[in-house]
Structures are given as C-alpha cells and as structure tokens.
Amino acid sequence: MALERTLSIVKPDGVQKNLIGEVYRRFEQAGLRVVAARMMQLSQAQAEGFYAVHRERPFFKDLVKYMVSGPVMVQVLEGENAVSKNRELMGATDPKKADKGTIRADLAASIEENVVHGSDSVENAKNEIAYFFAAADLCPRTR
Ligand code: GDP
C-alpha cells in the first residue's frame, strides 16, 4: 500500500445539484482525507489548460463549455492508494457503464455531466495538484 495524493473535482453539475457533501461523505467513508479544497469558477483558459490532453477529441469544446458553466469544488485527497481508490469510488466515465454504488452510477446524468473528475495516475495527480494548489496550500494529516 502506498500513501498517495490525488486531485478531485466536483464538476459544475455536482455543485449545481448540491452534491458536494454527498461526494465528500463517500471520500471520507472510504478513508480518503481532504487535505486542500477550493471552490472556484474556472476561466476558459484554465479549463482548456486542465483538459489540454483532450484538445483533439471531438467533445473537447463541449467539455470546456461544461466545465466553465458554473463553480467547481477542487480538492486534494490523501490516503492509501488514493489515486485508484478515488477512481473506484467515481466509477466509469459513462454512468451507464459505471458499477452500481459508484458516484457516477448513482448521481451522474450523462457521459459528459458526470459529477466528478479524478486523476488517473500518480504522475498526472502530481501535475493536476500543482495546476490548482501551491505546496503550502496542502495540510497533510499524516505524519
Ligand atoms: P475520466 O477520466 O473518467 O473523467 O474520463 P476522460 O479523461 O476520458 O474524459 C474527461 C471528461 O470528458 C469526462 O469525465 C467527461 O466529462 C468528458 N467526456 C469523456 N468522453 C466524452 C464523450 O464521449 N462525450 C462527451 N460529451 N464528453 C465526454
């Protein structure tokens, strides 16, 4: 088991539907700790930069439009195997394909409006955390 950190976002649909608490409850129940959090309205440039890896995908324009459509809640989660644990809690990108009991299966409306983002590797987690937080913003709760 490895102590890891991962970046999580409650996306605009999740914030709009008042699901921040429900999503945090699932993180905490699974043993993940919130060590930094910030609500923000992403700019076009911030959303494009965050999803730059998807720039050539057909859904990129819609994805950016959705991500700037309202405030998001951005957090760093810490815990054993935090990256894969968070991905398990989230479920598959398409809520129709996500396992029952996952955030997306239970709460998401569509493949686009799917409530949460979560880093998909330890390496990407490092970059995504640095995209939104300075090292001093993190409050590790482990010694
Ligand atoms: P994730 O890691 O599970 O979030 O999935 P991806 O990295 O593949 O995609 C990033 C985000 O783009 C997803 O969470 C969705 O919000 C959106 N997305 C992915 N695939 C599609 C698609 O086929 N159509 C649309 N409209 N949005 C998509």
Side-chain angles (χ1 to χ4, degrees), residues 73-92:
M73 191 73 192
V74 187
Q75 48 279 329
V76 178
L77 306 175
E78 180 183 81
E80 295 294 335
N81 298 325
V83 172
S84 59
K85 195 177 275 186
N86 182 41
R87 295 289 301 188
E88 278 167 32
L89 292 173
M90 289 164 57

Side-chain angles (χ1 to χ4, degrees), residues 8-15 17 19 23 26-27 50-51 54 59 62-63 66-67 69 72 86-87 89-98 102-118:
S8 159
I9 303 177
V10 181
K11 294 178 174 181
D13 58 320
V15 172
K17 291 180 188 159
L19 292 172
V23 170
R26 291 173 185 235
F27 293 155
F50 184 72
Y51 277 122
H54 291 314
F59 58 81
D62 285 342
L63 173 59
Y66 154 59
M67 289 302 289
S69 68
V72 294
N86 182 41
R87 295 289 301 188
L89 292 173
M90 289 164 57
T93 310
D94 183 350
K96 288 198 263 325
K97 295 183 183 152
T102 61
I103 292 169
R104 283 164 166 173
D106 292 353
L107 308 171
S110 70
I111 191 168
E112 180 178 82
E113 298 201 359
N114 58 6
V115 183
V116 278
H117 166 83

